[in-house]
Amino acid sequence: MKIAARFLAALSLAVSLAGGAWAADSATALVNLDCVKCHAQPPADIAAAGGAHKTSVSCLDCHIGHPPAVKKPIPKCSMCHSDKPHYKLAGCLSCHKNPHKPKDISFGRNVTDPCLSCHSGQIKQLRENKSKHTALNCSFCHDVHGKIPLCTQCHKPHSSDMTAADCKNCHKAHMPKVVTYGSSLPNKNCAACHKNAMSFLSASKTKHGKLLCVTCHQNKHKMLPKCQDCHGTPHPAGILTKFPKCQDCHNIAHDLNNWTSKAPVVKAKKAAGKKRQ
Ligand code: HEC
Ligand code: HEC
Ligand code: HEC
Ligand code: HEC
Ligand code: HEC
Ligand code: HEC
Ligand code: HEC
Ligand code: HEC
Ligand code: HEC
Ligand code: HEC
Ligand code: HEC
Ligand code: HEC
């Protein structure tokens, strides 16, 4: 459109608005380029962050009519968005605060249900693994959409050499009481709470002293291994019937007796093994 023509159109609109007589005839009908002449902010917002409301629709697709002919030409979101659970929520503008910047989203710290219109896995984990996190609102932790909080925003680490990055070695946010870990977790993670076990093990001169805590206590917190899970039947059956607990002779796993000479039982077993061959 020529600049002069736009000016004339705006002028005639101004005249008709001033006179209170809105004429909808095509000669004076508003076009999208007119709006900015009287409304500075919406076009500026759309230009800056309109997203699909800039590229897929125009002012006039949403604002059908204009005062005084149409008193409140404000569209309902449902005019165009209606086919997903998310679009059934109440109060679209409570999060999408400005329809001219539809992706600028903000909300308070007490939101849960609206999140579930798009995310379903987390609430399932939270409810199936009850903890004090289950009672918190999603946005109590995720106060900005998409932001992942650090555990240490709200909690102290178990020891001073543990950092925020260590928490996920053992905890998941949506099931924090289910403590699991991989097979290479350094011992210092456990030592934060188990000083005795750590000091016995690190003082041990036996081969157990070189093992990781999690080599024996595998996968899940409080898992207790049995000696025979790893050692099978190391001594003749007679010995083990007489002394059913390995600990009777070997002491505890973290602090095995450190014998310097081979015991007769072991020699006997080895000899027996040789004879059989
Ligand atoms: C010549 C100036 C002028 C132009 C051009 C103009 N408007 Fe307006 N607009 C006004 C005025 C003045 C009002 C307030 C009218 C009232 O409240 O009765 C208004 C009101 C509105 C409202 C209602 C606001 C509310 O709070 O209810 C909307 C929406 C609107 N205009 C959109 C547009 C769009 C979209 C365009 C371009 C297609 C446009 N306007 C072009 C002057 C203009
Ligand atoms: C996707 C639909 C949509 C588009 C596109 C859109 N608007 Fe709006 N506009 C709205 C809604 C919804 C409101 C009411 C916002 C509210 O209630 O806070 C609104 C409010 C307004 C208002 C009144 C309040 C204010 O912010 O001043 C004006 C004026 C306005 N729009 C002009 C425009 C202009 C000009 C354009 C094009 C550059 C435009 N709008 C594009 C949906 C739209
Ligand atoms: C006139 C039709 C129309 C109206 C009214 C409308 N929208 Fe849209 N909106 C669209 C279209 C078209 C798209 C792009 C396709 C899609 O995502 O469905 C879109 C996309 C969006 C997007 C994604 C933006 C992006 O860049 O990806 C959001 C968020 C959105 N709309 C929110 C709203 C809200 C909130 C309202 C009510 C205040 C609203 N819309 C009203 C037509 C509309
Ligand atoms: C609790 C806050 C909240 C409310 C209430 C809300 N939205 Fe959203 N909306 C969001 C978030 C968060 C996104 C995701 C943005 C992203 O993809 O990064 C979104 C995305 C969208 C999108 C684009 C992506 C898509 O899935 O289509 C549209 C369109 C949309 N909302 C429309 C609406 C409408 C319409 C309403 C009201 C019926 C509404 N929203 C209510 C928070 C909200
Ligand atoms: C309209 C759908 C929609 C709504 C409503 C919505 N989200 Fe999202 N959310 C998304 C999409 C899409 C992504 C991007 C997904 C991706 O990157 O894999 C996302 C990403 C996220 C992420 C980051 C995921 C990651 O892997 O980094 C978090 C956290 C999140 N949303 C939390 C929330 C919370 C909390 C709410 C409620 C306040 C919410 N969302 C509401 C659609 C939505
Ligand atoms: C925004 C704050 C916040 C963030 C972030 C957060 N928590 Fe929490 N957490 C809480 C609150 C509040 C409680 C309940 C405290 C109470 O009642 O004593 C809690 C409780 C816990 C509990 C005890 C659960 C129970 O039922 O006894 C564990 C374990 C926990 N958090 C671990 C974590 C871990 C690990 C992370 C990171 C993945 C994390 N938290 C992130 C706020 C937070
Ligand atoms: C106690 C704080 C807290 C609460 C409450 C919380 N989250 Fe999270 N969320 C996190 C943390 C931390 C992560 C990063 C992953 C982890 O540490 O397990 C995360 C990750 C996510 C992700 C990324 C994908 C994934 O599952 O790892 C999404 C999406 C998400 N949360 C959505 C939600 C929703 C929806 C709710 C409410 C039903 C919710 N969160 C409740 C702290 C929380
Ligand atoms: C080596 C695994 C491990 C790591 C790493 C770990 N935790 Fe824990 N955490 C646990 C165990 C096990 C418990 C449960 C103790 C109990 O039963 O009392 C626990 C309990 C908690 C609790 C609830 C009890 C309390 O002490 O208040 C919070 C909160 C917590 N952890 C936060 C964290 C944070 C924050 C981090 C990262 C800095 C972290 N944890 C790293 C294993 C770990
Ligand atoms: C946040 C502190 C904390 C951390 C970190 C922690 N634990 Fe524990 N652990 C505890 C508490 C508390 C108990 C229960 C003690 C009791 O019942 O007397 C416990 C018990 C145990 C038990 C004994 C279970 C039983 O039935 O006697 C084992 C084994 C254990 N933890 C191994 C580990 C290992 C291995 C790690 C490192 C991967 C670890 N713990 C990390 C706090 C922790
Ligand atoms: C998770 C597997 C595992 C468990 C459980 C386990 N051990 Fe071991 N143990 C080992 C490994 C690996 C070695 C080193 C073997 C080698 O290097 O030849 C070892 C070595 C030993 C040795 C020889 C020590 C040395 O320095 O020569 C004795 C004795 C022993 N274990 C006894 C026990 C007893 C008793 C228990 C139960 C209280 C036990 N073990 C539990 C894996 C395990
Ligand atoms: C060689 C395997 C092995 C290693 C390595 C090991 N443990 Fe154990 N742990 C056991 C066995 C077996 C028991 C059961 C009691 C026993 O026979 O000693 C046990 C018992 C425990 C207990 C409960 C009894 C107690 O002593 O409080 C805790 C806690 C524990 N271990 C923590 C740890 C930690 C922390 C580490 C690493 C510093 C570790 N363990 C390394 C095998 C091991
Ligand atoms: C009656 C005492 C006694 C009992 C009970 C006993 N052991 Fe032993 N075990 C010994 C002696 C003594 C040695 C030899 C120490 C050496 O070779 O340095 C030994 C050696 C071992 C060795 C090292 C073998 C090698 O070739 O280096 C392992 C592993 C072992 N025992 C595991 C066990 C397990 C597992 C149990 C329980 C099922 C058990 N022991 C019960 C006394 C006992």
Side-chain angles (χ1 to χ4, degrees):
M1 198 198 271
K2 298 269 164 1
I3 289 178
R6 251 200 279 152
F7 177 72
L8 278 180
L11 187 69
S12 76
L13 170 67
V15 168
S16 55
L17 284 176
W22 172 261
D25 82 76
S26 58
T28 56
L30 282 173
V31 296
N32 286 310
L33 288 170
D34 292 328
C35 316
V36 69
K37 294 166 190 161
C38 303
H39 300 289
Q41 200 59 46
D45 287 348
I46 289 198
H53 283 180
K54 174 182 173 185
T55 54
S56 302
V57 285
S58 72
C59 312
L60 285 165
D61 291 329
C62 286
H63 299 293
I64 301 170
H66 195 279
V70 175
K71 268 199 173 154
K72 273 251 163 210
I74 303 296
K76 287 208 163 61
C77 310
S78 59
M79 198 168 102
C80 306
H81 301 290
S82 60
D83 56 348
K84 284 189 195 172
H86 182 63
Y87 306 152
K88 306 278 188 280
L89 295 176
C92 313
L93 290 170
S94 69
C95 295
H96 302 277
K97 298 227 157 41
N98 180 348
H100 306 132
K101 294 177 163 185
K103 301 249 272 188
D104 271 17
I105 294 161
S106 63
F107 38 75
R109 297 192 71 180
N110 58 354
V111 180
T112 293
D113 287 347
C115 313
L116 310 182
S117 65
C118 299
H119 300 286
S120 56
Q122 295 74 23
I123 194 74
K124 202 164 170 279
Q125 278 195 333
L126 282 159
R127 286 183 182 152
E128 283 173 2
N129 304 278
K130 286 250 184 297
S131 76
K132 287 177 179 156
H133 281 184
T134 309
L136 303 177
N137 284 305
C138 308
S139 69
F140 182 76
C141 292
H142 304 286
D143 55 348
V144 170
H145 186 240
K147 195 183 104 186
I148 304 277
L150 294 177
C151 311
T152 48
Q153 263 170 242
C154 303
H155 298 291
K156 281 209 191 81
H158 299 303
S159 70
S160 57
D161 64 351
M162 204 180 259
T163 68
D166 292 323
C167 312
K168 67 172 185 300
N169 289 340
C170 296
H171 293 284
K172 292 196 180 64
H174 307 131
M175 38 196 283
K177 297 219 309 182
V178 179
V179 175
T180 57
Y181 40 77
S183 60
S184 57
L185 187 75
N187 287 359
K188 66 159 191 163
N189 287 270
C190 311
C193 300
H194 295 293
K195 296 203 168 50
N196 276 345
M198 182 63 183
S199 54
F200 275 123
L201 193 71
S202 44
S204 173
K205 301 269 187 296
T206 70
K207 287 175 180 159
H208 277 190
K210 302 221 158 41
L211 302 179
L212 294 175
C213 310
V214 298
T215 301
C216 292
H217 301 285
Q218 287 169 9
N219 304 328
K220 200 171 171 12
H221 188 230
K222 297 198 179 175
M223 179 273 183
L224 276 177
K226 300 235 167 15
C227 312
Q228 290 183 266
D229 295 347
C230 300
H231 294 295
T233 311
H235 306 306
I239 302 279
L240 297 180
T241 339
K242 212 166 166 195
F243 304 96
K245 292 178 75 184
C246 314
Q247 286 90 337
D248 288 343
C249 299
H250 286 289
N251 198 22
I252 59 168
H254 307 156
D255 187 26
L256 288 178
N257 286 324
N258 190 19
W259 293 300
T260 45
S261 62
K262 293 275 177 197
V265 286
V266 174
K267 283 188 186 142
K269 183 194 152 210
K270 283 180 178 162
K274 270 190 192 129
K275 252 182 232 158
R276 252 185 258 126
Q277 279 174 351

